[in-house]
Amino acid sequence: MMGPGWYLRRLSRMGPAEVVGRARHAVVQRQWRTSLPTPPDWPSHPRFTAALPAGVLGKVSGEAVSRLLATADELMAGRAEFFGVVRSDFEAPDWFLDPKTGRSAPSAVYAFDVPYRSEDTVGDIKQIWEPSRHQHLTVLAAAYALTGTPAYATRVAEHLRSWWAANPPLQGPHWVSGIELGIRLLSWVWTRRLLDGWPGVTELFEENPDFQLQLWHHQNWLATLRSHGSSANNHVIAEDAGLLAAACAFGWFPESAGWRSAAMHSLDAQLARNTFASGLNAELASEYHGLVLELGLAAAVEADAAGTPVPESTWDVLLRMTDALASIVDNRLRPPRQGDADDGFGLIVDGTSTDRWASLLASGEVLFGRLNWWPPVPGDDVRTALLASLASRTPRISGARPGRRPAHLRDAGMTILRSDRLWVRCDGGPHGFLSIAAHAHADALSLEVRHDGVDILADPGTFCYHGEPQWRSYFRSTLGHNTLELGGRDQSVSGGPFLWTRHAETRVLDVHTPDTGPSRWSAAHDGYAPALHRRTVELDGDVLRIVDEVLGQGDPGGARLAFHFGPAVTVMLDGTTARLRWVAEPDPAAGGGSGSPHSRPGASAPQRTLEVVGRGRSAAGADDPLVGRVSGSLSATAGALRTAVMELPAGLSWTVHRGDTEPPLGWYSAGFGRKEPSTTLVGSGAPGPLTTLLRFS
């Protein structure tokens, strides 16, 4: 639980209007405790008119159907995975159980009394909330729609009836957070749509008083307690999207027209506020860009299909977000690993092995049209065909779109340097979004470097939100990123797990990104004021040059320069020379698949074996003696061996870290709730000019 100090710090980041708004919410929550709001009468003969157009299911590729059914059949067998924890109880799940800790959240407690931040009391709340987003039910419903097999629909009905019975309105942990209610509503809309034609569907939905009660209370909650102020980030998008979709598809209440209008207006305004002009999500957290885009597309096509006018400004934001995503992905369609990531999805109707980012780009291509600089996108997902069929009346956007692939998204401070197979992300943007910058990391001037999609210099990721403060702090820290730490402190000041009380100010000084030839980026930040950290990065063919300088008066303290390597990379350190090895991922064009193996929850990581730590010979062969410290692993799977040499600043003393725990150092989180050891090099010493060269063979 958060202490009094946290609440004071949180209050200090609110403006007067937000304080007043939160006070009003508190009054409503107190009223609901003793007087539950009463829904109006259910219409006598409600009709569901938001079915899919005829013939659309036949447009889904056989490969996409196969992936979907593989996931659906695992669910039917009772198996599911959430954040790296495998559950085998999913034939009849316990909606309050955290399988990671074995704890159960209280179910017979007024929702706003549930101490959901306390892992000691409720367990890991993400493990409890995620199954209740009911996105596994949209997968099962899609399996029914594509095969006509009634067992899938029957299982969906069992889970919905079980959940509705166990979670009466405003009771228990599933009524605490608006983002959960919004995404759950979106899932119910699509579950009903995909079960259309099943004999039991009207009894489950239109003729079911339990569904009536749940549907109205979900929408009334979202219409009354919408996020605002410093919390109006991806949460408010999910709330608006769920309310809008439900009010369009299930527009059977006297309030439905008002809910539709208010949600559409709010979604339009909040999408604009949450998005830079360049199209990147303002939270500067790549996975939340995907979440907001998914939610926005699903809500907009729902409104369009229902005849609710969608402002051109809404479509414009969604178009810009799609073009921005196309501009920043690497050659395997992976976006940056910037900021927080919690594996959150807006709408899932595909199998777990379907690439999220390829699916989003495929949807954007169908809805908006591709530009000639877009990377090739495989169009073999389920969701694209379904979304496109609902948006048949969507007007094409006539505004200007980038004529060449943007390399520098100025307002977001993100610059992508490219050279053949090399992809380099340079971070020179704002610390985060709104006054609390909830999902930001202290990563100013950090880099990501990939070679043909493989993480070489990696952003370590997120791992956790609640319950493990030491790990939360590490994965958000400056030392946890590929940048320079001064005086043993972060560039920005944290006030708690989702709160920053001081934000480093960053300014891009120089960008040169021609279509061919060397590229250059330079930026500085004031997080160590009065000292200034300036970094210059140059990419020339297969050579990356990084220069770090500390400018200004006074003693900034000792420096620590960190380089975090992806888990596939073996690092052999000899003095100030690091030799890197990894095995290339299979080429998608040669049948190796597309996108990242971590692109969907539950996807498996590449096989890495032959762990090597200490002195000795390389695992690659006895004829290649190694001198110095070896950290990492070489893959035993087939693939080309790749190498690089890193010349580190000689003025620093270098140490190797892998899987350290006291304190944490040398870790990589491929997805929320998962972490694995990886190699980190830390150079310590005086903050003089520091030059690093990375040469790829």
Side-chain angles (χ1 to χ4, degrees), residues 404 418 512-520:
R404 63 185 289 264
R418 300 177 190 268
H512 181 63
T513 55
D515 291 332
T516 59
S519 53
R520 173 188 172 94

Side-chain angles (χ1 to χ4, degrees), residues 56-61 64-66 68-69 139-149 152 194 349-350 382 386:
V56 65
L57 294 170
K59 298 179 181 179
V60 178
S61 74
V65 172
S66 295
L68 170 68
L69 295 182
V139 170
L140 290 172
Y144 167 78
L146 290 162
T147 66
T149 302
Y152 294 123
L194 292 164
V349 289
D350 278 281
V382 176
L386 306 189

Side-chain angles (χ1 to χ4, degrees), residues 398-415:
S398 57
R401 297 174 69 183
R404 63 185 289 264
R405 189 174 200 171
H408 176 53
L409 288 76
R410 181 189 56 79
D411 46 11
M414 182 182 293
T415 304

